[in-house]
Amino acid sequence: MSSRPVPLIPPRLRAILVRVPFLVPIVRFVRKSASKDSHLLIALVVVSLLIGVLGVQISTRWFSPSLLILVTLVAGLQLRLRSLMTLLVAVAASVTYLGITYGARQVGPGFLLTMAFTVVLAGLMSRTRGTLGVQGLRGDAMLLELRDRLKRQSELPSLPKAWGGKVVLKQAGGSSFGGDFVVSMREGTRVELAVVDVSGKGVDAGTRALLLSGTFGGLLGSVSDFLGACNAYLRRQREGEGFVTAVHLSLDLATGAYEITSAGHPPVVKFDSGTGTWRVSTAKGVVLGVVPDLACEPDRGTLRKGDALMLYTDGLIEQPGRDIDAGLDRLLGEAERLLPGGFSKSARQLVNSMSSGHNDDCALVLIWRP
């Protein structure tokens, strides 16, 4: 036995709607467009028409015209732009019906102005999400997932008990995305990490940082010349996307031997527990993506018990109107004051102290031998 399809608009409701002459064409359009439009569009159209009809037939206290604002906002989040335009016809019909019946008492200038603003906002949301090819809150969920992946990638790998490590990231304006990021990996006793600074700050630099973090993370540990491979990759990209600086650390956990290479990045500093002072690394090189042959001068040494290495971005030492050397001196002074109380506990305090008074992305990595 074949069952009859359930009508999208119940017969009783249809009988009420057709009593209003100018709603008849809309009801017919909704019925004909059932095969083309989503079920949500049909439901929102019916709800919009119900608000207008029941507001007149029963009471506007229970079916207030302001409910149409909520319907329009939901449509802006969930519907495509073409479907939204269809819904707005039903919303306009309900508003017109209520206005003819009650006049300015229920549909006054304030309500119409608010409704017009809501329609524009819903149209912008629908158009933006339609361009991205996502509807509803899927686009926000994708960004949250990308943010979480970037944070997980910035975490240091597990280290033996004889070692300690700390990563602190602070983005400009309190944003979840920024131009500074960290990539790291561990294979046996070998640990490699890179601190990267993309030109710009905050969300503007966050999109490039998301792209480069995946690329640089894949190159780390896979090639012998990490910065050279990153430079070759950036040279193949389109020009005019800004510069990128990076510093690379390769550390042997068994012996404490390390090698530092830098590409236009602020110098790494080493804490010598024997003298209780900080020494500036001599590693230097050209900014990534500028010259075809990246000639870097590495700095090699050994971390003994009590020693530490500090890698950071220019957001900690650069301030408007202040020389970069003065910023480096201030960073070392704050490090001498805070870090003796414990590297892990004082790292966040050091970043907050150095970044106060200016708005820039900051990244700090500490590796030490207790």
Side-chain angles (χ1 to χ4, degrees):
M1 297 178 62
S2 59
S3 57
R4 295 182 178 179
V6 179
L8 293 172
I9 303 180
R12 293 184 179 180
L13 175 61
R14 191 186 311 151
I16 296 177
L17 296 178
V18 296
R19 290 171 58 187
V20 185
F22 63 83
L23 292 182
V24 175
I26 299 176
V27 175
R28 292 177 179 175
F29 176 80
V30 171
R31 294 176 60 189
K32 292 180 180 179
S33 62
S35 59
K36 300 179 181 179
D37 295 332
S38 66
H39 293 289
L40 179 61
L41 171 62
I42 300 300
L44 292 178
V45 167
V46 172
V47 170
S48 301
L49 298 177
L50 276 175
I51 292 173
V53 172
L54 296 180
V56 172
Q57 298 294 329
I58 299 179
S59 172
T60 55
R61 298 182 61 182
W62 290 96
F63 301 95
S64 172
S66 58
L67 293 175
L68 295 171
I69 297 176
L70 299 179
V71 173
T72 306
L73 288 176
V74 172
L77 282 173
Q78 299 292 339
L79 296 181
R80 296 182 178 88
L81 186 59
R82 184 176 179 180
S83 299
L84 176 63
M85 295 299 104
T86 303
L87 174 68
L88 292 180
V89 174
V91 172
S94 292
V95 172
T96 303
Y97 188 37
L98 290 167
I100 293 175
T101 305
Y102 293 103
R105 289 182 300 166
Q106 297 293 336
V107 187
F111 170 78
L112 293 177
L113 182 62
T114 305
M115 195 68 206
F117 176 80
T118 305
V119 169
V120 173
L121 180 61
L124 292 175
M125 291 190 300
S126 180
R127 181 179 180 182
T128 301
R129 296 178 185 277
T131 303
L132 294 174
V134 295
Q135 296 298 323
L137 300 178
R138 293 180 182 177
D140 298 329
M142 291 171 60
L143 286 176
L144 289 174
E145 184 177 354
L146 288 173
R147 181 203 63 183
D148 294 339
R149 286 179 179 270
L150 184 60
K151 287 185 176 180
R152 288 195 298 268
Q153 194 172 30
S154 297
E155 296 175 356
L156 292 178
S158 59
L159 300 175
K161 294 181 179 180
W163 290 88
K166 183 71 173 180
V167 176
V168 180
L169 296 174
K170 185 178 181 181
Q171 313 300 358
S175 170
S176 298
F177 302 95
D180 296 352
F181 64 90
V182 179
V183 290
S184 59
M185 57 81 60
R186 176 186 174 185
E187 185 174 356
T189 61
R190 173 69 57 181
V191 169
E192 294 191 34
L193 65 90
V195 180
V196 184
D197 184 1
V198 178
S199 60
K201 60 183 179 180
V203 179
D204 295 334
T207 53
R208 292 189 67 209
L210 286 171
L211 172 65
L212 295 180
S213 64
T215 303
F216 287 9
L219 292 173
L220 191 67
S222 302
V223 295
S224 57
D225 185 9
F226 171 73
L227 291 183
C230 295
N231 184 69
Y233 170 79
L234 291 174
R235 292 275 299 173
R236 294 193 298 267
Q237 306 306 304
R238 293 180 301 175
E239 297 181 358
E241 291 191 354
F243 62 86
V244 178
T245 68
V247 61
H248 174 236
L249 169 65
S250 179
L251 175 64
D252 189 341
L253 298 176
T255 63
Y258 65 84
E259 179 179 281
I260 299 172
T261 52
S262 177
H265 206 79
V268 178
V269 291
K270 175 188 176 184
F271 177 73
D272 189 343
S273 60
T275 61
T277 58
W278 292 87
R279 181 181 68 85
V280 179
S281 171
T282 58
K284 58 183 179 180
V286 184
V287 174
L288 293 176
V290 176
V291 296
D293 185 14
L294 188 67
C296 297
E297 297 181 13
D299 180 22
R300 299 179 179 89
T302 303
L303 281 182
R304 297 177 175 84
K305 291 184 177 181
D307 293 352
L309 286 174
M310 182 166 62
L311 299 80
Y312 54 93
T313 56
D314 58 7
L316 291 178
I317 59 175
E318 283 189 352
Q319 292 189 17
R322 176 177 293 183
D323 185 68
I324 190 172
D325 291 333
L328 180 58
D329 292 339
R330 179 170 175 260
L331 173 64
L332 297 181
E334 287 293 307
E336 291 180 357
R337 182 177 69 87
L338 295 174
L339 294 182
F343 290 109
S344 180
K345 296 180 180 179
S346 304
R348 174 66 66 176
Q349 299 178 14
L350 179 61
V351 171
N352 292 335
S353 175
M354 294 300 301
S355 62
S356 62
H358 67 284
N359 187 30
D360 199 359
D361 297 329
C362 302
L364 174 73
V365 178
L366 275 170
I367 299 287
W368 68 89
R369 296 186 73 174

